[in-house]
Amino acid sequence: MNKLPEEEFEDEEIELYEHYRFNVDKGQTLTRIDKFLTEKVANATRNRVQQNIESGGVLVNGKPTKPNYKIKPGDEIKVMFAKPPRDNEVIPEPIPLDIIYEDNDLLVVNKPAGMVVHPAHGNWSGTLVNGLVYYFQNLPEMKGNEGRPGLVHRIDKDTSGLLVIAKSEESMTFLAAQFFHHTIERTYIALVWGEPAEDSGTITGHVGRSAKDRKVMDVFPDGSQGKHAVTHWKVIKRLRYVTLIQCRLETGRTHQIRAHMKYLGHPLFNDSMYGGDRILKGTQFSKYKSFVQNCFDIIPRQALHAKSLGFVHPKTAEKLFFESELPEDFLAVLEKWESYVTHE
């Protein structure tokens, strides 16, 4: 067999796939990256981590590094391998979880904005599920939903708030049935553009994927596409050009509140996917434009928080109800709008 010329190999690039991603905390002390990753990556040895770094499989802020590099606050670290993660592979990671309730059957967590709920393309690490499988063994999975242990429902990456997690198959089945029959109580707090004409109302309209952009959901009031969706809303506080509202979900479709409020003519504040990341109401004065931009900077996501969750316990049949406080970014932007309305 003839040996191939060396140049034929030089153009062959080995594609690397992201398995882990770490954003270094502000309070992190200077630490060698090989030591940091040995502590963070499950079942990793110092030698294996060093070999991966030397082979170019670890990127810091998008560039290859060395084992003796000392990580700094704000660094983004990616751990890459030649083999892509499997769709149903979940790698345990020691991610801090805000658990507000736990017993032998379930737990309720308060998810921060920016955290993806489960691993998927582009987000194989750093998710809520990666943290769950690190702290809890043998979480159940629903058939057809492999790779998402413990999950009965989910919320968007940039939505904060409450999720219930099942710790046994019996609990998962019981809780899933409550979601299916729409007996779960869920309320969300949202800041939307404009002032609704009424103080409360109900939006009924099928929600399904847009033909123009598959990442976006459209509302089909005639029911020709999508799935039946119902959102009950009421005004909490009017702030001149924006309004704080409460939404109670009767159904739980993907992006339901975001799509329904846009359909109503009141997109969520700073919701880039549904047109809320630009000034939709207000004046043309430069001072106002600067004020709104400052608000966008404070809450760089859609202003949506899953505030409360109520359900029947799978073992005791007791009715449980949980609430969570609005996160700091949401509170801060509300304070700015209230101050603007008062003093302008």
Side-chain angles (χ1 to χ4, degrees), residues 186-222:
R186 285 177 289 171
T187 62
Y188 289 70
I189 301 298
L191 187 67
V192 302
W193 278 108
E195 290 196 76
E198 307 294 331
D199 287 334
S200 63
T202 297
I203 308 168
T204 302
H206 280 44
V207 172
R209 297 204 177 274
S210 168
K212 297 178 181 179
D213 184 351
R214 301 297 291 172
K215 295 179 181 180
V216 175
M217 308 302 283
D218 280 344
V219 177
F220 303 91
D222 60 358

Side-chain angles (χ1 to χ4, degrees), residues 189-192 268-271 299 301-305 330 333:
I189 301 298
L191 187 67
V192 302
L268 269 60
F269 188 78
N270 212 9
D271 189 345
I299 186 166
R301 62 178 181 102
Q302 68 264 11
L304 184 63
H305 176 70
F330 208 133
V333 84

Side-chain angles (χ1 to χ4, degrees), residues 241-306:
Y241 303 126
V242 295
T243 302
L244 187 67
I245 65 170
Q246 174 187 289
C247 293
R248 182 172 62 83
L249 290 184
E250 189 171 310
T251 56
R253 309 305 180 197
T254 301
H255 295 183
Q256 178 173 317
I257 292 174
R258 299 166 70 184
H260 268 175
M261 294 313 298
K262 180 184 179 182
Y263 173 73
L264 194 65
H266 300 285
L268 269 60
F269 188 78
N270 212 9
D271 189 345
S272 59
M273 194 172 286
Y274 291 88
D277 60 341
R278 52 197 173 90
I279 296 176
L280 299 179
K281 296 290 181 180
T283 71
Q284 295 300 313
F285 297 121
S286 58
K287 184 179 179 181
Y288 175 73
K289 291 179 180 179
S290 296
F291 163 76
V292 174
Q293 184 56 56
N294 185 246
C295 289
F296 285 159
D297 293 339
I298 290 172
I299 186 166
R301 62 178 181 102
Q302 68 264 11
L304 184 63
H305 176 70

Side-chain angles (χ1 to χ4, degrees), residues 98-245:
D98 182 9
I99 299 172
I100 67 170
Y101 175 84
E102 181 186 358
D103 60 26
N104 292 331
D105 303 292
L106 57 87
L107 61 142
V108 177
V109 298
N110 190 24
K111 186 190 82 68
M115 176 184 278
V116 176
V117 172
H118 60 77
H121 180 70
N123 291 287
W124 295 111
S125 65
T127 75
L128 176 67
V129 166
N130 291 112
L132 288 170
V133 297
Y134 181 88
Y135 294 108
F136 302 99
Q137 304 299 316
N138 303 316
L139 289 174
E141 295 181 333
M142 296 195 72
K143 187 176 181 181
N145 205 32
E146 289 81 5
R148 301 172 185 180
L151 288 192
V152 186
H153 65 130
R154 58 186 178 181
I155 56 179
D156 297 333
K157 171 187 175 183
D158 289 327
T159 298
S160 54
L162 300 180
L163 286 161
V164 59
I165 308 297
K167 295 174 70 174
S168 68
E169 288 189 16
E170 294 82 1
S171 295
M172 177 163 280
T173 300
F174 192 91
L175 290 168
Q178 292 183 65
F179 278 95
F180 179 79
H181 293 295
H182 311 310
T183 57
I184 294 279
E185 293 181 25
R186 285 177 289 171
T187 62
Y188 289 70
I189 301 298
L191 187 67
V192 302
W193 278 108
E195 290 196 76
E198 307 294 331
D199 287 334
S200 63
T202 297
I203 308 168
T204 302
H206 280 44
V207 172
R209 297 204 177 274
S210 168
K212 297 178 181 179
D213 184 351
R214 301 297 291 172
K215 295 179 181 180
V216 175
M217 308 302 283
D218 280 344
V219 177
F220 303 91
D222 60 358
S224 59
Q225 298 180 52
K227 295 181 179 180
H228 176 65
V230 180
T231 303
H232 305 283
W233 61 271
K234 67 177 182 180
V235 170
I236 297 175
K237 194 168 191 177
R238 297 179 183 272
L239 297 166
R240 193 177 301 178
Y241 303 126
V242 295
T243 302
L244 187 67
I245 65 170

